[in-house]
Amino acid sequence: MKKSTIKIGDKSVKVFIASTVVVGTGAAGYAAAMYLLERGMTDVVIVTEGISCGTSRNTGSDKQTYYKLSLAGDAPDSPADMAKDLFAGGSVDGDVALCEAANSVSCFMRLVSLGVPFPTNRYGEYVGYKTDHDPRARATSVGPLTSKFMTEALEAKVQDLRIPILDHMQVVEILKRDGHVSGLLVWNKNAGELQLISCGNIIWTTGGPAGVYGDSAYPTCHTGSSGVLFESGIFAQNMTEWQYGLASVSPRWNVSGTYMQVLPRFVSVDEMGVEHYFAEEFFSQEDCLNRTFLKGYEWPFDSRKAEKSSAMDLLVARERELGRRVYLDFTANPYGGVDYETLAPEARSYLKEAGACFGTPIERLIHMNAPAYELYLEKGIDLKRERLEIALCAQHCNGGAAVDTWWQTSLTGLFCAGEAAGTHGVYRPGGSALNAGQVGALRAASYVAKYPRPLDDEFRSVAKTVYSKHHAMLTEVLSGDKSNVARFSDALRNTMTRVAGAVRDPEAMAVELSGTRNMLQEFSHLVRIRKTEEIPALYKLKDTLACRLVLLTAMMDFYSKTNGKTRGSALYKNSRGTAPCGLNGMAFIPEAGLNDEVQMVKLDGTVIWRRVRPIPSGGGFFENVWKTYRENQSVY
């Protein structure tokens, strides 16, 4: 990495120069940087808003899952089989699915070689278990903090490789010219000024659009930068498809798996302090307990299960709409006690096999999964004594930047890996996101190392134009007496949760779509800050608006195309439909289909639907593959 300056007006602006920039310091970002160096790219720099931030390092569940090809037992498996299962999720490109399947073992074993302690049996097999939307036992785990272990192991390797990291740098615009990458404009939080980066390649790994929703399972230190991606003019895809699930509010953490399988009690508290055991009031004991247990297996909200386990999500959402705070109580049994013999066979046999047909939910939790209890204890909440406040939260965006089989976007030189890339469709096996991030990093780094793009010889001209635009905008918004950024941000997030989260209100979304478009167009006239320390929050608000516009455009287009139907992890309200479990106000028309198509959206409102790319025929005659491999170093 080199340093220089550019004279823009009366300012001398600092410029960092590198062949390739990796944006983000999560598991995908560190992996991309590692693979670049190992493939001979020495001029690499990592840019991040905060090394200690991000979802990879700061999130998890009761048993966070990594999904890969089977590596134990006698059950047959192959890349083709795994690709078919990924493809079956709907609106998934088959060639990308095959890449994720074929590279899953090499990426997994790379993590093992770095010291991530995935468990083996006495013979060295990496045994697995079934996860949601998984027809086989391909999943494995290091416990509640799998992605944290991954991130730390990859970070240590990056440090060994001496890859420079520019910390506290917030990317505010991707510079481009004639359809290819030119560089980045960043806000240096430490210096309190705009700075520039000249580069020929960018691998973008900033995670999902975590700052869009108020009720969110994303860590508070992670807000994402998908809006900056979309402002570059690239296509996003499958932005209607999310994962929503029950999660604690503070700390933000998924209450999946064992947290539900131990059958906690649901309770809400209204503004007058009155307690409501709403799930027990709504369902019979047998129905309530079986639905609760299944939430452990079927954690994400699923419109197909709105009459079954996902009814628990809808009940929680309804209580929140009524202005009540909702809690899980692990100290007391629902209905005053559990009759295990009345449970459905799946729940009864599971709890019996675990030796957990006794006591209170917290006693069962500690018996079955002590780390799940200890995790909250380390965060200051003792589930032996305290209730846990929860909500139906956004947890993962299955959509993102549209990419090819080398994870390159529609802007040449801009690659995207991890959650920011839209490689998932409507449904995905639990834990496949961790695999997708590692595979995307490998594929992008391999391509860049084989075909590195040169620096843009017109960078100075592009940089001056972009810098001047942002300098003028900041000068205008800094002219106010009061700051309204926090007010706007909170209102936007809370409204998205209310009208465009797991339960979507098309009429309200149409209003929000128009308002978002106007606010983004009039941004510098509407938003005001008082001091430069607020500029990072200002840019986050702008990023949120851009992402919000793409999301609402996609959702409204989907609703129109399907004539008001529902799909995946969202319920589109429609008075012509049926109310699940008799929940008035949540009527919907189920399964819209369209699983063989992909919706693609641009920030300017462009929407196209295309057929999914099919799964290629894998394998090949060895001698021919070997010859091509030698000639192309596996990248072709």
Side-chain angles (χ1 to χ4, degrees):
M1 180 182 66
K2 299 178 181 178
K3 298 178 183 179
S4 183
T5 58
I6 294 178
K7 191 72 173 178
I8 304 178
D10 61 349
K11 295 185 177 295
S12 182
V13 182
K14 182 175 288 188
V15 182
F16 299 92
I17 304 168
S19 171
T20 303
V21 174
V22 176
V23 183
T25 46
Y30 280 131
M34 174 188 71
Y35 286 128
L36 284 166
L37 263 288
E38 292 180 345
R39 281 153 177 74
M41 295 289 291
T42 57
D43 190 16
V44 177
V45 63
I46 300 175
V47 174
T48 181
E49 290 184 43
I51 289 178
S52 61
C53 299
T55 293
S56 298
R57 193 188 298 270
N58 295 286
T59 194
S61 60
D62 75 310
K63 185 172 63 178
Q64 195 181 23
T65 298
Y66 190 103
Y67 190 73
K68 44 123 189 74
L69 202 68
S70 298
L71 294 173
D74 59 0
D77 203 358
S78 70
D81 288 333
M82 182 171 168
K84 289 175 185 176
D85 292 332
L86 295 173
F87 187 71
S91 298
V92 175
D93 285 312
D95 50 4
V96 170
L98 183 56
C99 288
E100 291 185 1
N103 290 275
S104 67
V105 173
S106 60
C107 287
F108 175 76
M109 296 309 298
R110 189 72 176 93
L111 293 171
V112 171
S113 73
L114 293 174
V116 181
F118 289 105
T120 63
N121 63 16
R122 63 187 298 182
Y123 307 107
E125 292 180 299
Y126 290 93
V127 296
Y129 56 90
K130 289 184 67 173
T131 183
D132 46 295
H133 309 310
D134 170 26
R136 304 171 190 244
R138 295 190 179 110
T140 185
S141 176
V142 183
L145 303 172
T146 300
S147 61
K148 183 175 186 289
F149 277 95
M150 291 166 53
T151 304
E152 290 174 344
L154 289 160
E155 180 183 25
K157 182 62 177 179
V158 164
Q159 291 173 345
D160 289 343
L161 294 171
R162 300 181 182 274
I163 302 173
I165 299 177
L166 299 178
D167 199 4
H168 305 297
M169 295 282 202
Q170 182 177 354
V171 178
V172 299
E173 185 163 340
I174 298 169
L175 277 59
K176 61 178 184 175
R177 183 176 67 85
D178 297 334
H180 60 73
V181 161
S182 183
L184 297 166
L185 180 68
V186 301
W187 178 259
N188 185 324
K189 295 181 181 181
N190 289 336
E193 64 183 17
L194 291 168
Q195 295 178 350
L196 292 156
I197 301 175
S198 173
C199 60
N201 315 279
I202 299 170
I203 301 180
W204 193 273
T205 67
T206 59
V212 172
Y213 289 104
D215 287 347
S216 172
Y218 291 93
T220 54
C221 65
H222 177 208
T223 53
S225 297
S226 296
V228 175
L229 264 181
F230 302 150
E231 285 184 310
S232 72
I234 66 167
F235 270 109
Q237 67 182 33
N238 289 334
M239 293 303 293
T240 57
E241 308 308 320
W242 285 71
Q243 279 191 335
Y244 306 95
L246 298 181
S248 57
V249 174
S250 181
R252 294 180 172 186
W253 204 262
N254 299 334
V255 287
S256 57
T258 321
Y259 293 117
M260 288 293 147
Q261 290 160 349
V262 298
L263 307 176
R265 195 174 198 186
F266 286 79
V267 58
S268 65
V269 181
D270 63 25
E271 294 178 351
M272 302 300 293
V274 178
E275 295 184 349
H276 303 267
Y277 295 95
F278 59 93
E280 297 170 39
E281 296 165 2
F282 197 84
F283 291 118
S284 69
Q285 178 173 349
E286 182 179 348
D287 286 344
C288 180
L289 295 182
N290 287 328
R291 283 177 168 87
T292 301
F293 179 85
L294 285 175
K295 281 309 303 173
Y297 284 132
E298 303 169 347
W299 175 78
F301 173 75
D302 186 346
S303 61
R304 299 176 304 181
K305 300 182 177 73
E307 294 278 353
K308 299 177 181 178
S309 64
S310 289
M312 306 303 291
D313 302 283
L314 296 179
L315 282 178
V316 171
R318 185 196 66 172
E319 294 298 297
R320 297 272 293 181
E321 284 184 4
L322 293 172
R324 299 172 179 174
R325 300 175 71 177
V326 183
Y327 300 87
L328 291 180
D329 187 353
F330 290 89
T331 68
N333 282 309
Y335 300 95
V338 177
D339 183 353
Y340 298 98
E341 294 305 317
T342 65
L343 296 177
E346 185 177 18
R348 184 173 64 252
S349 63
Y350 185 94
L351 291 172
K352 282 187 174 180
E353 187 70 21
C357 294
F358 70 94
T360 60
I362 187 59
E363 291 171 333
R364 294 191 286 272
L365 181 67
I366 293 173
H367 172 75
M368 292 171 62
N369 188 352
Y373 163 72
E374 293 162 359
L375 185 145
Y376 273 107
L377 191 62
E378 291 170 0
K379 295 178 181 293
I381 294 181
D382 188 349
L383 298 179
K384 290 180 180 178
R385 297 175 176 83
E386 302 173 67
R387 291 172 171 174
L388 185 66
E389 185 172 6
I390 63 168
L392 179 54
C393 296
Q395 185 262 352
H396 189 278
C397 184
N398 282 0
V403 297
D404 63 14
T405 55
W406 296 104
W407 271 248
Q408 186 167 205
T409 70
S410 50
L411 177 61
T412 302
L414 176 62
F415 298 76
C416 193
E419 190 183 341
T423 62
H424 308 299
V426 185
Y427 297 102
R428 64 175 180 83
S432 62
L434 294 184
N435 173 64
Q438 294 301 292
V439 172
L442 170 63
R443 298 284 290 182
S446 298
Y447 190 94
V448 169
K450 175 67 174 177
Y451 305 111
R453 291 190 64 259
L455 298 174
D456 183 6
D457 55 9
E458 294 295 325
F459 171 78
R460 286 178 174 267
S461 175
V462 175
K464 287 180 179 180
T465 300
V466 172
Y467 180 93
S468 298
K469 177 186 68 175
H470 281 261
H471 183 264
M473 185 268 288
L474 292 177
T475 300
E476 183 172 0
V477 299
L478 272 163
S479 62
D481 295 328
K482 295 182 179 180
S483 172
N484 55 15
V485 169
R487 176 170 59 85
F488 276 137
S489 299
D490 290 343
L492 290 168
R493 284 193 290 266
N494 292 335
T495 303
M496 277 294 285
T497 290
R498 181 171 54 84
V499 308
V503 179
R504 297 174 182 172
D505 183 339
E507 291 184 4
M509 287 195 299
V511 174
E512 291 300 313
L513 174 59
S514 177
T516 302
R517 184 183 297 111
N518 292 337
M519 188 172 180
L520 193 57
Q521 290 173 346
E522 300 296 322
F523 186 78
S524 61
H525 302 307
L526 296 174
V527 181
R528 290 292 179 268
I529 57 176
R530 296 179 59 192
K531 50 190 178 182
T532 57
E533 287 79 5
E534 296 176 278
I535 287 177
L538 172 84
Y539 275 117
K540 279 299 172 189
L541 173 59
K542 188 170 182 287
D543 183 276
T544 297
L545 283 167
C547 190
R548 196 178 199 257
L549 182 57
V550 168
L551 286 168
L552 290 169
T553 299
M555 292 175 185
M556 291 304 299
D557 173 77
F558 176 87
Y559 189 76
S560 174
K561 183 177 177 67
T562 62
N563 195 26
K565 294 181 180 178
T566 280
R567 181 177 74 171
S569 190
L571 182 156
Y572 290 80
K573 290 184 179 181
N574 191 323
S575 60
R576 296 183 288 111
T578 303
C581 295
L583 283 166
N584 295 328
M586 291 187 180
F588 73 103
I589 302 175
E591 207 51 43
L594 299 175
N595 289 355
D596 58 352
E597 295 185 63
V598 173
Q599 182 203 54
M600 301 182 68
V601 184
K602 280 190 175 184
L603 184 64
D604 64 7
T606 300
V607 181
I608 62 173
W609 287 78
R610 63 170 176 81
R611 303 287 292 183
V612 296
R613 301 192 296 269
I615 301 175
S617 56
F621 183 67
F622 180 81
E623 302 299 337
N624 293 339
V625 172
W626 187 23
K627 180 177 184 295
T628 305
Y629 181 92
R630 295 196 311 269
E631 294 171 349
N632 294 278
Q633 298 177 26
S634 80
V635 181
Y636 47 91

